[in-house]
Amino acid sequence: GKLKLRAEAADRERAEMQINVETYRKRLGTLQETVKKHEEMIQTVQQRLKEKTEQAVAAGNEEKAATARLGEASVELEALRKTKAELEETIRTQANQIAEHTAAQEGKLEKMRAAEESAQGDAQE
């Protein structure tokens, strides 16, 4: 009878151990699922961070490029201003030369007219 009782106790103990093992397996499975979910979340966050970093770098590069373009445009504008000033100076110089030339021509014409009138006056006398 004692052997039978001992055997039943051992069977019960084995059955309890079996239940405990099953419970631990389930818990382990749940933990593994949780760990897997966390890893996926971490990967998602890392991916988002990578994308944001790439966007920030791209925006930074775009800003640098825009600044460079602005610099080039400003240099171009300065060159155009200089060219415009040089052209205005050339126009002024040529206008002055034309005015002087015209005045000289008018002076000659005036002398020629005076000489003609004087000649005509002499002829009429």
Side-chain angles (χ1 to χ4, degrees):
K2 274 187 183 177
L3 273 177
K4 193 180 177 193
L5 281 174
R6 232 185 263 148
E8 282 174 3
D11 280 347
R12 238 190 336 270
E13 207 176 322
R14 207 178 293 117
E16 276 176 24
M17 282 173 99
Q18 195 65 40
I19 289 168
N20 284 345
V21 166
E22 287 303 316
T23 305
Y24 284 132
R25 278 204 185 121
K26 278 182 190 163
R27 275 197 200 142
L28 187 62
T30 305
L31 278 174
Q32 283 172 335
E33 272 304 304
T34 306
V35 167
K36 195 176 163 191
K37 278 181 192 160
H38 281 186
E39 281 173 353
E40 284 169 4
M41 279 163 58
I42 288 168
Q43 281 178 339
T44 303
V45 170
Q46 282 175 333
Q47 186 58 37
R48 255 192 242 137
L49 186 63
K50 187 181 166 201
E51 285 167 11
K52 293 281 180 209
T53 303
E54 285 168 1
Q55 286 172 4
V57 168
N61 289 341
E62 185 49 46
E63 193 183 338
K64 278 182 205 149
T67 304
R69 284 197 297 272
L70 192 63
E72 286 165 14
S74 142
V75 166
E76 217 172 300
L77 187 63
E78 200 45 52
L80 285 172
R81 281 195 187 123
K82 193 177 167 197
T83 303
K84 181 179 175 242
E86 286 168 1
L87 285 171
E88 285 171 347
E89 183 58 35
T90 302
I91 289 167
R92 266 196 302 275
T93 304
Q94 288 180 355
N96 288 339
Q97 286 172 353
I98 289 167
E100 284 168 16
H101 189 68
T102 304
Q105 292 292 333
E106 282 173 352
K108 282 181 191 166
L109 279 172
E110 197 54 48
K111 280 181 189 162
M112 285 168 79
R113 262 193 232 113
E116 271 177 33
E117 283 173 11
S118 157
Q120 282 176 354
D122 289 346
Q124 282 173 354
E125 279 176 8

